[in-house]
Amino acid sequence: DIVMTQSPDSLAVSLGERATITCKSSQSVLRSSSNTNYLAWYQQKPGQPPKLIIYWASYRESGVPDRFSGSGSGTEFTLTINNFQAEDVAVYYCQQHSQTPPWTFGQGTRVEIK
Amino acid sequence: QVKLVQSGGGVVQPGRALRLSCAASGFSFGLYSFHWVRQTPGKGLEWVAVMSADGRKTFYTDPVKGRFTVSRDNSKNILYLAMNSLRVEDTGMYYCARDTTAAEREFDYWGQGSLVTVSS
């Protein structure tokens, strides 16, 4: 199974500043046949289900503000939130869907306001 | 619009059974695979099971194999998770989530969640 490890576990960011979360996979999630990284990012606010924000490592889901961006390839990925807003307070998860089953998630990174 | 509305859940004793439902609307239910994902304080988000669009293929995480069964009724647009021989460690919030036909993409829509508490 592919193990997903996020860092840090928690993060405090000032409003207007940048938040950066890293996700590492124990094996590559890059599908060579399509040159596509099968890596997604989700945002979960209290009392709500996870919400897809980034797919294929760097593609923003429709309706997601452009201050959210994803990057990386292979085994290392980054979620960046520029101009951090109060409504961005949440727990963020990465997920691989390259080698399945099982589908596996990172442990989550809690992002709060400093 | 796409909606996944869950029902079921509750408090049950260890060894008992429970069934969760996930009613879909706003899209062609029969064209999509669906997953169940649970969230526990100790393990975060954990994938539980998947059922293919046509209902012919299912996969389960090892801890629930032989105890949980996922099924679907494409005529009613409902996904089910039958949970038997429940254990304390099955306690958590259970979500249904949509995938593509081939179950090879990210989960683009999620239900609101069903809370399952297994306790004596």
Side-chain angles (χ1 to χ4, degrees):
Chain A
D1 299 356
I2 295 181
V3 177
M4 309 299 289
T5 304
Q6 293 180 226
S7 61
D9 289 336
S10 63
L11 181 61
V13 184
S14 300
L15 295 176
E17 296 299 307
R18 176 181 298 168
T20 302
I21 302 168
T22 297
C23 173
K24 293 184 179 180
S25 57
S26 61
Q27 301 172 49
S28 176
V29 299
L30 174 66
R31 290 267 189 100
S32 56
S33 58
S34 59
N35 198 35
T36 300
N37 288 283
Y38 279 41
L39 187 286
W41 288 95
Y42 299 87
Q43 175 193 65
Q44 187 178 31
K45 297 182 179 180
Q48 297 183 17
K51 173 190 173 184
L52 176 66
I53 56 173
I54 299 287
Y55 62 95
W56 290 345
S58 61
Y59 290 76
R60 242 183 336 268
E61 179 72 341
S62 176
V64 173
D66 61 6
R67 62 180 181 273
F68 289 89
S69 63
S71 63
S73 184
T75 62
E76 296 198 23
F77 300 88
T78 300
L79 175 68
T80 301
I81 311 172
N82 287 307
N83 186 23
F84 185 79
Q85 301 295 303
E87 61 262 33
D88 301 334
V89 170
V91 180
Y92 293 84
Y93 296 91
C94 60
Q95 177 212 25
Q96 70 83 22
H97 51 100
S98 176
Q99 295 182 33
T100 60
W103 287 254
T104 51
F105 295 85
Q107 80 276 18
T109 296
R110 184 176 303 276
V111 183
E112 302 172 328
I113 298 173
K114 181 186 288 184
Chain B
Q1 71 278 31
V2 173
K3 281 189 177 181
L4 298 175
V5 178
Q6 297 183 225
S7 58
V11 180
V12 292
Q13 293 179 327
R16 303 299 291 266
L18 207 57
R19 189 178 79 163
L20 306 181
S21 300
C22 173
S25 61
F27 63 100
S28 297
F29 180 76
L31 296 181
Y32 293 85
S33 299
F34 285 90
H35 302 261
W36 288 98
V37 177
R38 66 185 177 187
Q39 187 165 34
T40 63
K43 283 194 169 184
L45 290 172
E46 179 186 21
W47 171 80
V48 173
V50 62
M51 171 161 268
S52 62
D54 62 6
R56 294 182 179 182
K57 291 183 182 177
T58 56
F59 295 97
Y60 300 90
T61 187
D62 285 347
V64 311
K65 280 180 182 175
R67 300 188 299 122
F68 290 14
T69 303
V70 61
S71 61
R72 62 191 294 163
D73 186 335
N74 283 358
S75 68
K76 296 182 178 179
N77 295 351
I78 302 178
L79 177 76
Y80 301 100
L81 182 67
M83 303 180 291
N84 295 313
S85 303
L86 281 162
R87 304 169 180 170
V88 171
E89 55 265 34
D90 295 319
T91 294
M93 185 70 79
Y94 284 71
Y95 297 100
C96 59
R98 193 181 80 164
D99 197 336
T100 57
T101 303
E104 60 179 4
R105 291 288 302 270
E106 59 286 334
F107 304 168
D108 61 351
Y109 286 93
W110 297 61
Q112 85 279 14
S114 294
L115 184 60
V116 174
T117 303
V118 185
S119 174
S120 55

